Amino acid sequence: MVNIEIDKTAYKLATRKLAHIPKGINRATKNAINRTIASTNKLVHTELKDTYTVKVSEIKHGFVKENATISKLSGKVVASGPVLRASGFKNNTDVAKNYVISIKRRGKKSLPEQAFVAKMPKNNGKQRRQHKGIFIRKGKERLGIRELTGPSIPGMASSKPIRGKVTKAMYKKFNERFDHEVNYLLSKR
C-alpha cells in the first residue's frame, strides 16, 4: 500500500487561492486523486504486461479501482485474486513430454516430464464449461493430480521493480494534477 501526502505549503497556498470557490480545495484534490488513480491503474497494467506473459484478461479481473469523492478524499487501486493457472501464461504444449512455460518475458522453464495437458470441468463437474490446464500427478498412482500455477496478480504487482516505478509515477502524477486542477478551477472564475 502506498500513501501519498500533499506538500503542506502547496496545500495551504492552494487553499488560500481557492477560498472564494465553494468546496474548491476539495474538488481540486478529488480530481487530482481520481486522475492519479486512473493513470496508476493503467501504469500497473502496462508494467505487468511488459514484465510477465500473463493474459490481459487475467490482469483486468485482478484490479479494483475506488475513486475519491468530495466528502471522502481518498482513493485506491487494489490488486486481488488467487494464484493464476500455468495455462494463463505463455506456454508451449505442442510437443508431449516437452512442455515449456514462460512466466516472465525474459525466461522459460521446462516442466517436469510427468506434466500433462488436460481439459477439466470447472466447479467440480457441476457445470458443462471446461478449462485447459497443465497438471502433474501427486504420487505414482493414477489419481491425485494438481494443477500447476504461477504467481498471483497481487504478487506480481507488489514486486520491487514494479512497485518502485508505480510509486514514483504516483507522486509525480498527483503533484502535477493537483497544480493543474487548482489552476483550472481558478481559470473558471
Side-chain angles (χ1 to χ4, degrees):
M1 183 161 121
V2 178
N3 290 324
I4 297 178
E5 294 188 19
I6 301 174
D7 181 30
K8 291 180 181 175
T9 56
Y11 189 76
K12 286 179 184 177
L13 181 65
T15 305
R16 273 190 247 126
K17 285 181 181 178
L18 296 172
H20 65 282
I21 299 172
K23 295 188 181 179
I25 193 69
N26 286 0
R27 286 170 45 200
T29 308
K30 173 195 73 112
N31 291 342
I33 289 170
N34 290 343
R35 287 289 188 100
T36 303
I37 286 172
S39 69
T40 300
N41 194 25
K42 185 175 181 181
L43 178 66
V44 172
H45 278 73
T46 305
E47 288 297 320
L48 287 178
K49 284 190 304 186
D50 292 346
T51 307
Y52 297 94
T53 62
V54 67
K55 294 178 182 173
V56 176
S57 61
E58 299 281 353
I59 295 174
K60 284 183 181 178
H61 294 303
F63 284 96
V64 177
K65 186 169 80 160
E66 188 178 306
N67 284 331
T69 62
I70 289 179
S71 60
K72 184 187 79 108
L73 294 175
S74 67
K76 56 186 168 182
V77 177
V78 179
S80 63
V83 292
L84 301 175
R85 293 189 212 112
S87 57
F89 295 91
K90 185 177 180 183
N91 57 58
N92 183 1
T93 56
D94 295 339
V95 181
K97 306 278 185 196
N98 193 14
Y99 299 137
V100 176
I101 186 168
S102 167
I103 291 177
K104 283 197 167 189
R105 293 224 177 259
R106 290 180 288 149
K108 293 181 181 178
K109 181 180 179 185
S110 294
L111 297 176
E113 209 173 283
Q114 297 85 7
F116 61 96
V117 177
K119 283 188 177 180
M120 295 291 179
K122 287 188 177 180
N123 201 3
N124 296 328
K126 294 178 184 173
Q127 296 177 348
R128 291 182 175 221
R129 295 183 356 219
Q130 294 182 341
H131 78 279
K132 182 180 173 184
I134 302 171
F135 297 88
I136 192 166
R137 300 199 186 284
K138 288 183 181 177
K140 295 198 178 210
E141 293 91 35
R142 186 172 176 344
L143 296 176
I145 60 174
R146 68 176 176 89
E147 188 168 9
L148 296 177
T149 58
S152 63
I153 296 292
M156 292 185 285
S158 65
S159 67
K160 283 185 181 179
I162 291 177
R163 192 176 195 163
K165 286 181 187 177
V166 169
T167 303
K168 285 179 187 175
M170 282 174 64
Y171 278 109
K172 182 180 176 191
K173 187 63 147 179
F174 180 77
N175 289 326
E176 72 184 36
R177 290 310 307 174
F178 184 70
D179 291 340
H180 172 80
E181 295 296 337
V182 168
N183 292 333
Y184 174 74
L185 287 174
L186 289 171
S187 70
K188 281 178 70 173
R189 293 282 170 159

